[in-house]
Amino acid sequence: MITVRRVGAGEWALWRDVRLAALTESPEAFRARLDDWADGGERRWRERLAMGDAYNVVAVRGGPAVGVASGVPDAGGGAWLHSVWVSSEVRGLGVGRRLVAAVEGWARGRGAAELRLAVLPGNGAAIELYRRQGFAPTGEAGETLPDGATELIMARPLR
């Protein structure tokens, strides 16, 4: 059985483990690199989980986490979906959908009118997951990546 639940700063080791697993298994899916976080100590991981009004969730199967996602409010009253990852051992079981839904529920609860995300243009599996969840490209350019490509910005209205 897989459960999705919110994590706080006290569960920094669980968050660290799943985030490092994501960066190790799927480095092509993230701007962040394993080297950026591999030497992060407890303080750094606790601070990441204590960021502002962020909403951090993990998908857990038995003991270890097998998925992760975050929601971050923006100044315009909307919210951003960040760092979605699902372990290859449970892909295809609806874990990604459940992680996105958890962050969407949090964003709705905050009164956000829209949930936005940035995805790397070559990450076809993630783009398809987001399309199935009702996200569409906005047409605006995201950040420029080291290879010159730009992130794809997608959004989903919540009202």
Side-chain angles (χ1 to χ4, degrees):
M1 182 169 149
I2 298 172
T3 58
V4 173
R5 64 180 179 81
R6 186 175 190 177
V7 294
E11 295 178 284
W12 68 271
L14 174 66
W15 181 264
R16 176 201 59 207
D17 292 350
V18 70
R19 192 67 180 122
L20 293 179
L23 294 171
T24 299
E25 183 179 303
S26 305
E28 73 288 348
F30 301 102
R31 276 185 298 153
R33 296 284 152 242
L34 182 60
D35 289 346
D36 299 336
W37 285 93
D39 64 351
E42 177 179 344
R43 180 174 175 218
R44 184 171 183 200
W45 291 104
R46 283 182 179 276
E47 287 173 353
R48 166 58 184 85
L49 287 171
M51 282 178 24
D53 294 330
Y55 180 77
N56 303 294
V57 294
V58 294
V60 178
R61 181 185 201 183
V66 294
V68 63
S70 291
V72 179
D74 70 21
W80 284 84
L81 175 65
H82 286 285
S83 304
V84 177
W85 174 77
V86 175
S87 170
S88 60
E89 70 185 62
V90 296
R91 288 185 189 150
L93 300 179
V95 176
R97 178 187 48 77
R98 292 177 59 199
L99 289 164
V100 171
V103 174
E104 180 184 322
W106 161 83
R108 284 181 190 278
R110 296 182 56 81
E114 181 178 64
L115 184 59
R116 300 167 60 82
L117 61 89
V119 61
L120 298 183
N123 194 345
I127 293 168
E128 184 56 33
L129 167 70
Y130 301 138
R131 285 186 195 277
R132 286 191 312 265
Q133 296 294 106
F135 288 85
T138 65
E140 51 191 298
E143 289 191 34
T144 302
L145 304 168
D147 66 0
T150 57
E151 294 174 313
L152 173 64
I153 304 297
M154 301 178 80
R156 178 171 192 252
L158 299 178
R159 294 186 187 155

